[in-house]
Amino acid sequence: MTVTRIDVNLGSRSYPIFVGDQILTKVGELITSAMDATHAVVITDSNVGPLYLEICQRVLEDQGMRVDAVTVPAGETTKSLPYAEQLWNALVDFHADRKTVVVALGGGVVGDLAGFIAATFARGLRLVQIPTSLLAQVDSSVGGKVGINLEKAKNMVGAFHQPSLVVIDVGTLRSLPQREYISGLAEVVKYGVILDAQFFEFLEHNVPAILNVDPAILTSIIARCCRLKADVVEADEREETGYRAILNYGHTFAHAFETLTNYTSLLHGEAVAIGMTCAARLAASRNMFSSDECKRQTDLLRVLGLPTEPPNLSPHDVLACMRHDKKVQHGQLRLILPKRLGQVELVADVDPGEITAVLAPLQTN
């Protein structure tokens, strides 16, 4: 069993990420070797629980831990205050204390929600992330951002709460619905655009293996994404310098699309793919990003099966929703835009007309 370790170096908040195929059986050993915990509360959802909750409970109990579990409904609407309150009350019923670790077993929604519970219950419990979706494995499980959605804005209530451990079993990807798996590939492409042109080219050359869910290729890809994100988090853990904002490439558009469609018609990665396309088109229209590289991004997203066409929404409504983005300062929209593959920058002088222009349907090349 080959396991790749990536370390996130944050002083007292440092933690390892383990990536490998079929390593879920090692979760109990990894947790007990990393911390002194006698009680685990596993939070999962109705899709993931039937697949992996039993094995997760068993390997934790085999290490002598008391284990409780809560299964919430699958879907973005679960990442909300009513479900957070249910989980807080469940932890009271479970007699959770300082020896308790919250285990997030699921995709990005479960990771964000369970992480928010860990950050806030009893002013902070330890957190272990076991991401089972590609999107969570390469992005949301790493870096300590946790939170819930408001009706009017995504991820607006939350905290920075680093996990103590991240365990990524690429084998769980084989049980993902194809649409969910492909959705996660948007975040993979994102890393190539924002930080690593060589990695972007690697993705272009390995599309068949990626679409076939090849475990060796995926272990390499996921480990690279985690390393790239760890580098950014180490440089700007709490978004104080602005550097970490590059991870939000495409997300200002994407969050508006998700909010205006009530989190029901677009998966997060699908919205990000469209958002990246819009951001690249905007950058190209400013002559800060070449049309050839803009096309390469669009072509890679499309060949991976991701959407690139903006949803049929009012540009005025999209613009109004984008103004709720956390990168807005003094009422001014700021967007992450690409300069070249592997490099992006935060642009503050974006005119509303530029945004509405790129919301028009794309021309198929």
Side-chain angles (χ1 to χ4, degrees), residues 7-16 127 143-144 160-166 233-234 236-238 240 244:
D7 288 295
V8 185
N9 299 303
L10 296 169
S12 62
R13 295 175 307 287
S14 298
Y15 55 93
L127 171 68
F160 289 99
H161 187 66
Q162 298 294 344
S164 299
L165 176 68
V166 181
V233 172
E234 289 167 5
D236 184 20
E237 181 184 1
R238 299 177 65 87
E240 292 168 333
R244 184 167 173 165

mmCIF file with all atom_site columns, all heavy atoms in Angstrom, residues 7-16 127 143-144 160-166 233-234 236-238 240 244:
data_model
loop_
_atom_site.group_PDB
_atom_site.id
_atom_site.type_symbol
_atom_site.label_atom_id
_atom_site.label_alt_id
_atom_site.label_comp_id
_atom_site.label_asym_id
_atom_site.label_entity_id
_atom_site.label_seq_id
_atom_site.pdbx_PDB_ins_code
_atom_site.Cartn_x
_atom_site.Cartn_y
_atom_site.Cartn_z
_atom_site.occupancy
_atom_site.B_iso_or_equiv
_atom_site.pdbx_formal_charge
_atom_site.auth_seq_id
_atom_site.auth_comp_id
_atom_site.auth_asym_id
_atom_site.auth_atom_id
_atom_site.pdbx_PDB_model_num
ATOM 1   N N   . ASP A 1 7   ? 2.846   17.533 4.280  1.00 0.00 ? 7   ASP A N   1
ATOM 2   C CA  . ASP A 1 7   ? 2.760   18.244 5.553  1.00 0.00 ? 7   ASP A CA  1
ATOM 3   C C   . ASP A 1 7   ? 2.377   19.692 5.339  1.00 0.00 ? 7   ASP A C   1
ATOM 4   O O   . ASP A 1 7   ? 2.962   20.389 4.499  1.00 0.00 ? 7   ASP A O   1
ATOM 5   C CB  . ASP A 1 7   ? 4.096   18.161 6.295  1.00 0.00 ? 7   ASP A CB  1
ATOM 6   C CG  . ASP A 1 7   ? 4.366   16.775 6.848  1.00 0.00 ? 7   ASP A CG  1
ATOM 7   O OD1 . ASP A 1 7   ? 3.607   16.344 7.731  1.00 0.00 ? 7   ASP A OD1 1
ATOM 8   O OD2 . ASP A 1 7   ? 5.313   16.110 6.378  1.00 0.00 ? 7   ASP A OD2 1
ATOM 9   N N   . VAL A 1 8   ? 1.394   20.145 6.108  1.00 0.00 ? 8   VAL A N   1
ATOM 10  C CA  . VAL A 1 8   ? 0.998   21.545 6.123  1.00 0.00 ? 8   VAL A CA  1
ATOM 11  C C   . VAL A 1 8   ? 1.670   22.169 7.343  1.00 0.00 ? 8   VAL A C   1
ATOM 12  O O   . VAL A 1 8   ? 1.352   21.820 8.479  1.00 0.00 ? 8   VAL A O   1
ATOM 13  C CB  . VAL A 1 8   ? -0.533  21.702 6.207  1.00 0.00 ? 8   VAL A CB  1
ATOM 14  C CG1 . VAL A 1 8   ? -0.926  23.171 6.106  1.00 0.00 ? 8   VAL A CG1 1
ATOM 15  C CG2 . VAL A 1 8   ? -1.218  20.893 5.112  1.00 0.00 ? 8   VAL A CG2 1
ATOM 16  N N   . ASN A 1 9   ? 2.606   23.062 7.100  1.00 0.00 ? 9   ASN A N   1
ATOM 17  C CA  . ASN A 1 9   ? 3.454   23.592 8.173  1.00 0.00 ? 9   ASN A CA  1
ATOM 18  C C   . ASN A 1 9   ? 2.915   24.935 8.674  1.00 0.00 ? 9   ASN A C   1
ATOM 19  O O   . ASN A 1 9   ? 3.093   25.971 8.033  1.00 0.00 ? 9   ASN A O   1
ATOM 20  C CB  . ASN A 1 9   ? 4.889   23.732 7.668  1.00 0.00 ? 9   ASN A CB  1
ATOM 21  C CG  . ASN A 1 9   ? 5.469   22.394 7.258  1.00 0.00 ? 9   ASN A CG  1
ATOM 22  O OD1 . ASN A 1 9   ? 5.525   21.466 8.050  1.00 0.00 ? 9   ASN A OD1 1
ATOM 23  N ND2 . ASN A 1 9   ? 5.888   22.290 5.999  1.00 0.00 ? 9   ASN A ND2 1
ATOM 24  N N   . LEU A 1 10  ? 2.249   24.879 9.820  1.00 0.00 ? 10  LEU A N   1
ATOM 25  C CA  . LEU A 1 10  ? 1.629   26.065 10.410 1.00 0.00 ? 10  LEU A CA  1
ATOM 26  C C   . LEU A 1 10  ? 1.967   26.178 11.895 1.00 0.00 ? 10  LEU A C   1
ATOM 27  O O   . LEU A 1 10  ? 1.121   26.534 12.719 1.00 0.00 ? 10  LEU A O   1
ATOM 28  C CB  . LEU A 1 10  ? 0.101   26.008 10.236 1.00 0.00 ? 10  LEU A CB  1
ATOM 29  C CG  . LEU A 1 10  ? -0.430  26.051 8.797  1.00 0.00 ? 10  LEU A CG  1
ATOM 30  C CD1 . LEU A 1 10  ? -1.909  25.709 8.762  1.00 0.00 ? 10  LEU A CD1 1
ATOM 31  C CD2 . LEU A 1 10  ? -0.181  27.424 8.172  1.00 0.00 ? 10  LEU A CD2 1
ATOM 32  N N   . GLY A 1 11  ? 3.199   25.860 12.227 1.00 0.00 ? 11  GLY A N   1
ATOM 33  C CA  . GLY A 1 11  ? 3.596   25.941 13.631 1.00 0.00 ? 11  GLY A CA  1
ATOM 34  C C   . GLY A 1 11  ? 2.813   24.955 14.477 1.00 0.00 ? 11  GLY A C   1
ATOM 35  O O   . GLY A 1 11  ? 2.740   23.766 14.162 1.00 0.00 ? 11  GLY A O   1
ATOM 36  N N   . SER A 1 12  ? 2.185   25.455 15.535 1.00 0.00 ? 12  SER A N   1
ATOM 37  C CA  . SER A 1 12  ? 1.429   24.582 16.440 1.00 0.00 ? 12  SER A CA  1
ATOM 38  C C   . SER A 1 12  ? 0.183   23.998 15.781 1.00 0.00 ? 12  SER A C   1
ATOM 39  O O   . SER A 1 12  ? -0.411  23.054 16.307 1.00 0.00 ? 12  SER A O   1
ATOM 40  C CB  . SER A 1 12  ? 1.026   25.358 17.698 1.00 0.00 ? 12  SER A CB  1
ATOM 41  O OG  . SER A 1 12  ? 0.171   26.442 17.365 1.00 0.00 ? 12  SER A OG  1
ATOM 42  N N   . ARG A 1 13  ? -0.216  24.534 14.640 1.00 0.00 ? 13  ARG A N   1
ATOM 43  C CA  . ARG A 1 13  ? -1.414  24.056 13.949 1.00 0.00 ? 13  ARG A CA  1
ATOM 44  C C   . ARG A 1 13  ? -1.051  23.193 12.730 1.00 0.00 ? 13  ARG A C   1
ATOM 45  O O   . ARG A 1 13  ? -1.883  22.962 11.864 1.00 0.00 ? 13  ARG A O   1
ATOM 46  C CB  . ARG A 1 13  ? -2.287  25.237 13.502 1.00 0.00 ? 13  ARG A CB  1
ATOM 47  C CG  . ARG A 1 13  ? -2.858  26.040 14.672 1.00 0.00 ? 13  ARG A CG  1
ATOM 48  C CD  . ARG A 1 13  ? -3.615  27.264 14.208 1.00 0.00 ? 13  ARG A CD  1
ATOM 49  N NE  . ARG A 1 13  ? -2.811  28.098 13.320 1.00 0.00 ? 13  ARG A NE  1
ATOM 50  C CZ  . ARG A 1 13  ? -1.793  28.863 13.710 1.00 0.00 ? 13  ARG A CZ  1
ATOM 51  N NH1 . ARG A 1 13  ? -1.449  28.896 14.989 1.00 0.00 ? 13  ARG A NH1 1
ATOM 52  N NH2 . ARG A 1 13  ? -1.103  29.598 12.845 1.00 0.00 ? 13  ARG A NH2 1
ATOM 53  N N   . SER A 1 14  ? 0.200   22.737 12.675 1.00 0.00 ? 14  SER A N   1
ATOM 54  C CA  . SER A 1 14  ? 0.641   21.888 11.562 1.00 0.00 ? 14  SER A CA  1
ATOM 55  C C   . SER A 1 14  ? -0.073  20.544 11.579 1.00 0.00 ? 14  SER A C   1
ATOM 56  O O   . SER A 1 14  ? -0.497  20.066 12.634 1.00 0.00 ? 14  SER A O   1
ATOM 57  C CB  . SER A 1 14  ? 2.155   21.668 11.638 1.00 0.00 ? 14  SER A CB  1
ATOM 58  O OG  . SER A 1 14  ? 2.853   22.886 11.521 1.00 0.00 ? 14  SER A OG  1
ATOM 59  N N   . TYR A 1 15  ? -0.191  19.939 10.399 1.00 0.00 ? 15  TYR A N   1
ATOM 60  C CA  . TYR A 1 15  ? -0.843  18.629 10.324 1.00 0.00 ? 15  TYR A CA  1
ATOM 61  C C   . TYR A 1 15  ? -0.437  17.917 9.039  1.00 0.00 ? 15  TYR A C   1
ATOM 62  O O   . TYR A 1 15  ? -0.040  18.543 8.058  1.00 0.00 ? 15  TYR A O   1
ATOM 63  C CB  . TYR A 1 15  ? -2.366  18.759 10.387 1.00 0.00 ? 15  TYR A CB  1
ATOM 64  C CG  . TYR A 1 15  ? -2.983  19.667 9.356  1.00 0.00 ? 15  TYR A CG  1
ATOM 65  C CD1 . TYR A 1 15  ? -3.456  19.186 8.134  1.00 0.00 ? 15  TYR A CD1 1
ATOM 66  C CD2 . TYR A 1 15  ? -3.120  21.032 9.623  1.00 0.00 ? 15  TYR A CD2 1
ATOM 67  C CE1 . TYR A 1 15  ? -4.038  20.034 7.202  1.00 0.00 ? 15  TYR A CE1 1
ATOM 68  C CE2 . TYR A 1 15  ? -3.694  21.892 8.693  1.00 0.00 ? 15  TYR A CE2 1
ATOM 69  C CZ  . TYR A 1 15  ? -4.141  21.388 7.489  1.00 0.00 ? 15  TYR A CZ  1
ATOM 70  O OH  . TYR A 1 15  ? -4.712  22.225 6.568  1.00 0.00 ? 15  TYR A OH  1
ATOM 71  N N   . PRO A 1 16  ? -0.536  16.584 9.047  1.00 0.00 ? 16  PRO A N   1
ATOM 72  C CA  . PRO A 1 16  ? -0.219  15.820 7.843  1.00 0.00 ? 16  PRO A CA  1
ATOM 73  C C   . PRO A 1 16  ? -1.467  15.499 7.025  1.00 0.00 ? 16  PRO A C   1
ATOM 74  O O   . PRO A 1 16  ? -2.582  15.402 7.553  1.00 0.00 ? 16  PRO A O   1
ATOM 75  C CB  . PRO A 1 16  ? 0.389   14.535 8.414  1.00 0.00 ? 16  PRO A CB  1
ATOM 76  C CG  . PRO A 1 16  ? -0.362  14.331 9.696  1.00 0.00 ? 16  PRO A CG  1
ATOM 77  C CD  . PRO A 1 16  ? -0.685  15.714 10.227 1.00 0.00 ? 16  PRO A CD  1
ATOM 78  N N   . LEU A 1 127 ? -10.449 18.190 14.841 1.00 0.00 ? 127 LEU A N   1
ATOM 79  C CA  . LEU A 1 127 ? -11.156 17.828 13.613 1.00 0.00 ? 127 LEU A CA  1
ATOM 80  C C   . LEU A 1 127 ? -10.275 16.932 12.751 1.00 0.00 ? 127 LEU A C   1
ATOM 81  O O   . LEU A 1 127 ? -9.092  17.206 12.574 1.00 0.00 ? 127 LEU A O   1
ATOM 82  C CB  . LEU A 1 127 ? -11.512 19.102 12.832 1.00 0.00 ? 127 LEU A CB  1
ATOM 83  C CG  . LEU A 1 127 ? -12.073 18.935 11.417 1.00 0.00 ? 127 LEU A CG  1
ATOM 84  C CD1 . LEU A 1 127 ? -13.456 18.295 11.452 1.00 0.00 ? 127 LEU A CD1 1
ATOM 85  C CD2 . LEU A 1 127 ? -12.128 20.299 10.716 1.00 0.00 ? 127 LEU A CD2 1
ATOM 86  N N   . GLY A 1 143 ? -6.740  23.352 4.618  1.00 0.00 ? 143 GLY A N   1
ATOM 87  C CA  . GLY A 1 143 ? -6.640  24.804 4.757  1.00 0.00 ? 143 GLY A CA  1
ATOM 88  C C   . GLY A 1 143 ? -7.438  25.418 5.875  1.00 0.00 ? 143 GLY A C   1
ATOM 89  O O   . GLY A 1 143 ? -7.249  26.592 6.195  1.00 0.00 ? 143 GLY A O   1
ATOM 90  N N   . GLY A 1 144 ? -8.368  24.669 6.468  1.00 0.00 ? 144 GLY A N   1
ATOM 91  C CA  . GLY A 1 144 ? -9.029  25.137 7.677  1.00 0.00 ? 144 GLY A CA  1
ATOM 92  C C   . GLY A 1 144 ? -10.222 26.043 7.506  1.00 0.00 ? 144 GLY A C   1
ATOM 93  O O   . GLY A 1 144 ? -10.757 26.546 8.493  1.00 0.00 ? 144 GLY A O   1
ATOM 94  N N   . PHE A 1 160 ? -11.793 29.947 10.638 1.00 0.00 ? 160 PHE A N   1
ATOM 95  C CA  . PHE A 1 160 ? -10.588 29.210 10.275 1.00 0.00 ? 160 PHE A CA  1
ATOM 96  C C   . PHE A 1 160 ? -10.329 28.206 11.395 1.00 0.00 ? 160 PHE A C   1
ATOM 97  O O   . PHE A 1 160 ? -10.108 28.598 12.536 1.00 0.00 ? 160 PHE A O   1
ATOM 98  C CB  . PHE A 1 160 ? -9.393  30.157 10.128 1.00 0.00 ? 160 PHE A CB  1
ATOM 99  C CG  . PHE A 1 160 ? -9.467  31.044 8.925  1.00 0.00 ? 160 PHE A CG  1
ATOM 100 C CD1 . PHE A 1 160 ? -9.906  32.355 9.038  1.00 0.00 ? 160 PHE A CD1 1
ATOM 101 C CD2 . PHE A 1 160 ? -9.096  30.580 7.671  1.00 0.00 ? 160 PHE A CD2 1
ATOM 102 C CE1 . PHE A 1 160 ? -9.974  33.188 7.929  1.00 0.00 ? 160 PHE A CE1 1
ATOM 103 C CE2 . PHE A 1 160 ? -9.165  31.400 6.552  1.00 0.00 ? 160 PHE A CE2 1
ATOM 104 C CZ  . PHE A 1 160 ? -9.603  32.708 6.680  1.00 0.00 ? 160 PHE A CZ  1
ATOM 105 N N   . HIS A 1 161 ? -10.397 26.934 11.063 1.00 0.00 ? 161 HIS A N   1
ATOM 106 C CA  . HIS A 1 161 ? -10.195 25.882 12.065 1.00 0.00 ? 161 HIS A CA  1
ATOM 107 C C   . HIS A 1 161 ? -9.457  24.736 11.384 1.00 0.00 ? 161 HIS A C   1
ATOM 108 O O   . HIS A 1 161 ? -10.071 23.929 10.678 1.00 0.00 ? 161 HIS A O   1
ATOM 109 C CB  . HIS A 1 161 ? -11.544 25.426 12.627 1.00 0.00 ? 161 HIS A CB  1
ATOM 110 C CG  . HIS A 1 161 ? -11.440 24.481 13.782 1.00 0.00 ? 161 HIS A CG  1
ATOM 111 N ND1 . HIS A 1 161 ? -10.922 24.864 15.002 1.00 0.00 ? 161 HIS A ND1 1
ATOM 112 C CD2 . HIS A 1 161 ? -11.791 23.171 13.914 1.00 0.00 ? 161 HIS A CD2 1
ATOM 113 C CE1 . HIS A 1 161 ? -10.969 23.835 15.845 1.00 0.00 ? 161 HIS A CE1 1
ATOM 114 N NE2 . HIS A 1 161 ? -11.471 22.800 15.197 1.00 0.00 ? 161 HIS A NE2 1
ATOM 115 N N   . GLN A 1 162 ? -8.145  24.693 11.558 1.00 0.00 ? 162 GLN A N   1
ATOM 116 C CA  . GLN A 1 162 ? -7.349  23.690 10.863 1.00 0.00 ? 162 GLN A CA  1
ATOM 117 C C   . GLN A 1 162 ? -7.642  22.288 11.406 1.00 0.00 ? 162 GLN A C   1
ATOM 118 O O   . GLN A 1 162 ? -7.815  22.106 12.611 1.00 0.00 ? 162 GLN A O   1
ATOM 119 C CB  . GLN A 1 162 ? -5.848  23.983 11.033 1.00 0.00 ? 162 GLN A CB  1
ATOM 120 C CG  . GLN A 1 162 ? -5.398  25.318 10.457 1.00 0.00 ? 162 GLN A CG  1
ATOM 121 C CD  . GLN A 1 162 ? -5.510  25.375 8.945  1.00 0.00 ? 162 GLN A CD  1
ATOM 122 O OE1 . GLN A 1 162 ? -5.636  24.357 8.273  1.00 0.00 ? 162 GLN A OE1 1
ATOM 123 N NE2 . GLN A 1 162 ? -5.466  26.595 8.395  1.00 0.00 ? 162 GLN A NE2 1
ATOM 124 N N   . PRO A 1 163 ? -7.693  21.293 10.522 1.00 0.00 ? 163 PRO A N   1
ATOM 125 C CA  . PRO A 1 163 ? -7.837  19.924 11.004 1.00 0.00 ? 163 PRO A CA  1
ATOM 126 C C   . PRO A 1 163 ? -6.557  19.471 11.692 1.00 0.00 ? 163 PRO A C   1
ATOM 127 O O   . PRO A 1 163 ? -5.492  20.086 11.536 1.00 0.00 ? 163 PRO A O   1
ATOM 128 C CB  . PRO A 1 163 ? -8.083  19.124 9.716  1.00 0.00 ? 163 PRO A CB  1
ATOM 129 C CG  . PRO A 1 163 ? -7.410  19.931 8.645  1.00 0.00 ? 163 PRO A CG  1
ATOM 130 C CD  . PRO A 1 163 ? -7.572  21.377 9.052  1.00 0.00 ? 163 PRO A CD  1
ATOM 131 N N   . SER A 1 164 ? -6.656  18.397 12.443 1.00 0.00 ? 164 SER A N   1
ATOM 132 C CA  . SER A 1 164 ? -5.474  17.775 13.025 1.00 0.00 ? 164 SER A CA  1
ATOM 133 C C   . SER A 1 164 ? -4.878  16.741 12.082 1.00 0.00 ? 164 SER A C   1
ATOM 134 O O   . SER A 1 164 ? -3.716  16.337 12.248 1.00 0.00 ? 164 SER A O   1
ATOM 135 C CB  . SER A 1 164 ? -5.837  17.098 14.363 1.00 0.00 ? 164 SER A CB  1
ATOM 136 O OG  . SER A 1 164 ? -6.329  18.039 15.285 1.00 0.00 ? 164 SER A OG  1
ATOM 137 N N   . LEU A 1 165 ? -5.680  16.315 11.120 1.00 0.00 ? 165 LEU A N   1
ATOM 138 C CA  . LEU A 1 165 ? -5.283  15.230 10.232 1.00 0.00 ? 165 LEU A CA  1
ATOM 139 C C   . LEU A 1 165 ? -6.236  15.196 9.042  1.00 0.00 ? 165 LEU A C   1
ATOM 140 O O   . LEU A 1 165 ? -7.434  15.447 9.200  1.00 0.00 ? 165 LEU A O   1
ATOM 141 C CB  . LEU A 1 165 ? -5.360  13.903 11.000 1.00 0.00 ? 165 LEU A CB  1
ATOM 142 C CG  . LEU A 1 165 ? -5.081  12.591 10.280 1.00 0.00 ? 165 LEU A CG  1
ATOM 143 C CD1 . LEU A 1 165 ? -3.614  12.506 9.887  1.00 0.00 ? 165 LEU A CD1 1
ATOM 144 C CD2 . LEU A 1 165 ? -5.449  11.414 11.178 1.00 0.00 ? 165 LEU A CD2 1
ATOM 145 N N   . VAL A 1 166 ? -5.703  14.898 7.852  1.00 0.00 ? 166 VAL A N   1
ATOM 146 C CA  . VAL A 1 166 ? -6.536  14.676 6.670  1.00 0.00 ? 166 VAL A CA  1
ATOM 147 C C   . VAL A 1 166 ? -6.150  13.318 6.088  1.00 0.00 ? 166 VAL A C   1
ATOM 148 O O   . VAL A 1 166 ? -4.965  13.055 5.860  1.00 0.00 ? 166 VAL A O   1
ATOM 149 C CB  . VAL A 1 166 ? -6.341  15.784 5.606  1.00 0.00 ? 166 VAL A CB  1
ATOM 150 C CG1 . VAL A 1 166 ? -7.241  15.531 4.398  1.00 0.00 ? 166 VAL A CG1 1
ATOM 151 C CG2 . VAL A 1 166 ? -6.615  17.165 6.199  1.00 0.00 ? 166 VAL A CG2 1
ATOM 152 N N   . VAL A 1 233 ? -1.675  28.184 1.847  1.00 0.00 ? 233 VAL A N   1
ATOM 153 C CA  . VAL A 1 233 ? -2.157  28.319 3.223  1.00 0.00 ? 233 VAL A CA  1
ATOM 154 C C   . VAL A 1 233 ? -1.005  28.676 4.166  1.00 0.00 ? 233 VAL A C   1
ATOM 155 O O   . VAL A 1 233 ? -1.158  29.514 5.069  1.00 0.00 ? 233 VAL A O   1
ATOM 156 C CB  . VAL A 1 233 ? -2.857  27.019 3.676  1.00 0.00 ? 233 VAL A CB  1
ATOM 157 C CG1 . VAL A 1 233 ? -3.192  27.075 5.157  1.00 0.00 ? 233 VAL A CG1 1
ATOM 158 C CG2 . VAL A 1 233 ? -4.123  26.793 2.845  1.00 0.00 ? 233 VAL A CG2 1
ATOM 159 N N   . GLU A 1 234 ? 0.149   28.061 3.958  1.00 0.00 ? 234 GLU A N   1
ATOM 160 C CA  . GLU A 1 234 ? 1.309   28.380 4.789  1.00 0.00 ? 234 GLU A CA  1
ATOM 161 C C   . GLU A 1 234 ? 1.716   29.841 4.649  1.00 0.00 ? 234 GLU A C   1
ATOM 162 O O   . GLU A 1 234 ? 2.169   30.475 5.596  1.00 0.00 ? 234 GLU A O   1
ATOM 163 C CB  . GLU A 1 234 ? 2.485   27.474 4.417  1.00 0.00 ? 234 GLU A CB  1
ATOM 164 C CG  . GLU A 1 234 ? 2.303   26.025 4.846  1.00 0.00 ? 234 GLU A CG  1
ATOM 165 C CD  . GLU A 1 234 ? 3.310   25.085 4.222  1.00 0.00 ? 234 GLU A CD  1
ATOM 166 O OE1 . GLU A 1 234 ? 4.224   25.557 3.515  1.00 0.00 ? 234 GLU A OE1 1
ATOM 167 O OE2 . GLU A 1 234 ? 3.190   23.865 4.437  1.00 0.00 ? 234 GLU A OE2 1
ATOM 168 N N   . ASP A 1 236 ? -0.353  32.382 3.770  1.00 0.00 ? 236 ASP A N   1
ATOM 169 C CA  . ASP A 1 236 ? -1.425  33.333 4.131  1.00 0.00 ? 236 ASP A CA  1
ATOM 170 C C   . ASP A 1 236 ? -2.587  32.558 4.740  1.00 0.00 ? 236 ASP A C   1
ATOM 171 O O   . ASP A 1 236 ? -3.658  32.450 4.145  1.00 0.00 ? 236 ASP A O   1
ATOM 172 C CB  . ASP A 1 236 ? -1.865  34.106 2.875  1.00 0.00 ? 236 ASP A CB  1
ATOM 173 C CG  . ASP A 1 236 ? -2.897  35.187 3.176  1.00 0.00 ? 236 ASP A CG  1
ATOM 174 O OD1 . ASP A 1 236 ? -3.005  35.614 4.345  1.00 0.00 ? 236 ASP A OD1 1
ATOM 175 O OD2 . ASP A 1 236 ? -3.607  35.600 2.231  1.00 0.00 ? 236 ASP A OD2 1
ATOM 176 N N   . GLU A 1 237 ? -2.373  32.037 5.948  1.00 0.00 ? 237 GLU A N   1
ATOM 177 C CA  . GLU A 1 237 ? -3.342  31.121 6.549  1.00 0.00 ? 237 GLU A CA  1
ATOM 178 C C   . GLU A 1 237 ? -4.727  31.745 6.695  1.00 0.00 ? 237 GLU A C   1
ATOM 179 O O   . GLU A 1 237 ? -5.739  31.107 6.428  1.00 0.00 ? 237 GLU A O   1
ATOM 180 C CB  . GLU A 1 237 ? -2.848  30.662 7.926  1.00 0.00 ? 237 GLU A CB  1
ATOM 181 C CG  . GLU A 1 237 ? -3.799  29.683 8.616  1.00 0.00 ? 237 GLU A CG  1
ATOM 182 C CD  . GLU A 1 237 ? -3.359  29.306 10.012 1.00 0.00 ? 237 GLU A CD  1
ATOM 183 O OE1 . GLU A 1 237 ? -2.326  29.821 10.469 1.00 0.00 ? 237 GLU A OE1 1
ATOM 184 O OE2 . GLU A 1 237 ? -4.065  28.500 10.649 1.00 0.00 ? 237 GLU A OE2 1
ATOM 185 N N   . ARG A 1 238 ? -4.787  33.001 7.122  1.00 0.00 ? 238 ARG A N   1
ATOM 186 C CA  . ARG A 1 238 ? -6.071  33.617 7.459  1.00 0.00 ? 238 ARG A CA  1
ATOM 187 C C   . ARG A 1 238 ? -6.462  34.751 6.503  1.00 0.00 ? 238 ARG A C   1
ATOM 188 O O   . ARG A 1 238 ? -7.207  35.656 6.866  1.00 0.00 ? 238 ARG A O   1
ATOM 189 C CB  . ARG A 1 238 ? -6.037  34.132 8.896  1.00 0.00 ? 238 ARG A CB  1
ATOM 190 C CG  . ARG A 1 238 ? -5.787  33.013 9.915  1.00 0.00 ? 238 ARG A CG  1
ATOM 191 C CD  . ARG A 1 238 ? -5.685  33.559 11.333 1.00 0.00 ? 238 ARG A CD  1
ATOM 192 N NE  . ARG A 1 238 ? -6.949  34.131 11.761 1.00 0.00 ? 238 ARG A NE  1
ATOM 193 C CZ  . ARG A 1 238 ? -7.939  33.440 12.327 1.00 0.00 ? 238 ARG A CZ  1
ATOM 194 N NH1 . ARG A 1 238 ? -7.802  32.147 12.541 1.00 0.00 ? 238 ARG A NH1 1
ATOM 195 N NH2 . ARG A 1 238 ? -9.051  34.022 12.696 1.00 0.00 ? 238 ARG A NH2 1
ATOM 196 N N   . GLU A 1 240 ? -4.799  37.280 5.357  1.00 0.00 ? 240 GLU A N   1
ATOM 197 C CA  . GLU A 1 240 ? -4.428  38.600 5.867  1.00 0.00 ? 240 GLU A CA  1
ATOM 198 C C   . GLU A 1 240 ? -3.594  39.394 4.860  1.00 0.00 ? 240 GLU A C   1
ATOM 199 O O   . GLU A 1 240 ? -3.581  40.621 4.895  1.00 0.00 ? 240 GLU A O   1
ATOM 200 C CB  . GLU A 1 240 ? -3.670  38.440 7.188  1.00 0.00 ? 240 GLU A CB  1
ATOM 201 C CG  . GLU A 1 240 ? -4.574  37.920 8.302  1.00 0.00 ? 240 GLU A CG  1
ATOM 202 C CD  . GLU A 1 240 ? -3.803  37.485 9.543  1.00 0.00 ? 240 GLU A CD  1
ATOM 203 O OE1 . GLU A 1 240 ? -2.633  37.095 9.440  1.00 0.00 ? 240 GLU A OE1 1
ATOM 204 O OE2 . GLU A 1 240 ? -4.406  37.522 10.637 1.00 0.00 ? 240 GLU A OE2 1
ATOM 205 N N   . ARG A 1 244 ? -3.961  34.348 -0.297 1.00 0.00 ? 244 ARG A N   1
ATOM 206 C CA  . ARG A 1 244 ? -4.812  33.158 -0.305 1.00 0.00 ? 244 ARG A CA  1
ATOM 207 C C   . ARG A 1 244 ? -6.030  33.336 -1.209 1.00 0.00 ? 244 ARG A C   1
ATOM 208 O O   . ARG A 1 244 ? -6.647  32.360 -1.645 1.00 0.00 ? 244 ARG A O   1
ATOM 209 C CB  . ARG A 1 244 ? -5.238  32.806 1.128  1.00 0.00 ? 244 ARG A CB  1
ATOM 210 C CG  . ARG A 1 244 ? -6.047  31.523 1.210  1.00 0.00 ? 244 ARG A CG  1
ATOM 211 C CD  . ARG A 1 244 ? -6.194  31.003 2.617  1.00 0.00 ? 244 ARG A CD  1
ATOM 212 N NE  . ARG A 1 244 ? -7.105  29.865 2.646  1.00 0.00 ? 244 ARG A NE  1
ATOM 213 C CZ  . ARG A 1 244 ? -7.222  29.017 3.654  1.00 0.00 ? 244 ARG A CZ  1
ATOM 214 N NH1 . ARG A 1 244 ? -6.498  29.173 4.740  1.00 0.00 ? 244 ARG A NH1 1
ATOM 215 N NH2 . ARG A 1 244 ? -8.074  28.015 3.592  1.00 0.00 ? 244 ARG A NH2 1
#
